[in-house]
């Protein structure tokens, strides 16, 4: 995440220390190049020009183009926030409540224009390109990691069978939500998220 935060600062034209890089920052400036021209617009030269620094400075932090684009993705799609303790307490640590919370946060992000542009850049690339494959894997892993604690608890409580992994649950829930948002064009309300989570839980019960 520090690398992504540095990219945010670089694109904003800031000179910051390592301690400052550990502070939360808005990812919107880092996704500017993605939203303007897609993934192909993110190069060492364009980032250097936008930041007003030498290209060698960018190369020092991201030696390869893939490193640079992964950092841009990281800055534009930061990890989902932790589940509020009050929600855990109110639900009795019910994994369904946590899954719904996590996926609602994700749905809200997908309604954001810049986050949508990041997704379009990543998913629109060639399926045979190794860099694009890694970018897509990075996105799936981020979603699966966010769902991992709740899925693990659901398996332990018998609400999901032992062979269900965070990755498969992410595909069964985030997949339909993604289709609804970007293929159908509908905004994702809480009722939609609730229905998708409940359908996934019933399907494995």
């Amino acid at each position: 995440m520090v690398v992504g935060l540095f990219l945010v600062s670089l694109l904003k034209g800031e000179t910051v220390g390592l301690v400052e890089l550990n502070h939360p920052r808005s990812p919107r400036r880092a996704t500017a190049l993605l939203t303007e021209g897609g993934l192909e617009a993110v190069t060492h030269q364009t980032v250097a020009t936008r930041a007003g620094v030498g290209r060698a400075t960018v190369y020092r932090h991201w030696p390869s183009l893939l490193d640079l684009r992964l950092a841009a993705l990281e800055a534009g799609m930061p990890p989902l926030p932790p589940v509020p303790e009050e929600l855990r307490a109110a639900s009795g640590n019910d994994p369904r409540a946590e899954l719904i919370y996590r996926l609602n946060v994700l749905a809200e992000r997908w309604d954001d224009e810049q986050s949508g542009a990041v997704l379009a850049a990543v998913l629109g690339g060639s399926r045979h390109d190794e860099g694009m494959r890694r970018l897509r894997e990075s996105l799936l892993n981020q979603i699966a990691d966010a769902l991992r604690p709740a899925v693990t608890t659901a398996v332990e409580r018998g609400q999901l069978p032992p062979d269900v992994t965070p990755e498969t649950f992410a595909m069964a829930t985030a997949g339909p939500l993604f289709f609804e948002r970007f293929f159908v064009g509908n905004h994702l309300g809480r009722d939609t998220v609730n229905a998708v989570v409940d359908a996934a839980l019933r399907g494995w019960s």
Side-chain angles (χ1 to χ4, degrees):
M1 177 54 72
V2 170
V3 172
L5 295 177
F6 181 85
L7 181 62
V8 176
S9 302
L10 190 62
L11 290 176
K12 290 172 70 176
E14 298 175 351
T15 302
V16 296
L18 184 58
V19 173
E20 291 172 284
L21 290 179
N22 286 301
H23 287 211
R25 293 180 183 274
S26 167
R28 294 181 184 278
R29 295 295 184 93
T31 59
L33 289 169
L34 283 172
T35 59
E36 291 168 12
L39 199 63
E40 295 301 316
V42 180
T43 68
H44 291 88
Q45 184 59 62
T46 57
V47 171
T49 299
R50 176 64 58 89
V53 300
R55 188 168 60 174
T57 299
V58 182
Y59 271 110
R60 276 199 301 273
H61 292 279
W62 304 283
S64 75
L65 183 59
L66 179 58
D67 291 333
L68 180 63
R69 290 175 174 174
L70 282 169
L73 173 64
E74 180 184 79
M77 298 292 288
L80 298 179
V83 176
E85 286 303 319
E86 55 268 28
L87 175 64
R88 292 183 188 275
S91 68
N93 288 321
D94 179 15
R96 175 183 177 274
E98 181 172 338
L99 291 166
I100 286 175
Y101 173 82
R102 294 282 197 181
L103 288 165
N104 266 310
V105 173
L106 187 67
E108 289 170 3
R109 285 190 179 179
W110 285 353
D111 269 342
D112 177 82
E113 181 180 349
Q114 289 187 330
S115 294
V118 172
L119 282 170
V122 173
L123 299 173
S126 171
R127 294 183 178 275
H128 305 291
D129 183 89
E130 176 65 15
M132 294 307 303
R133 184 189 66 78
R134 285 182 57 188
L135 286 169
R136 284 189 285 268
E137 282 185 357
S138 176
L139 180 60
L140 174 60
N141 289 340
Q142 182 190 95
I143 298 171
D145 286 343
L147 302 182
R148 192 174 306 279
V151 171
T152 300
T153 301
V155 169
E156 291 172 350
R157 294 184 178 183
Q159 294 170 278
L160 287 172
D163 59 345
V164 175
T165 66
E167 289 76 16
T168 56
F169 196 87
M171 287 186 284
T173 51
L177 292 173
F178 180 87
F179 186 89
E180 181 80 10
R181 177 69 189 93
F182 295 105
F183 284 82
V184 181
N186 293 334
H187 292 284
L188 301 171
R190 292 184 179 275
D191 289 344
T192 301
V193 174
N194 291 0
V196 166
V197 171
D198 287 338
L201 291 172
R202 284 197 308 270
W204 272 302
S205 62

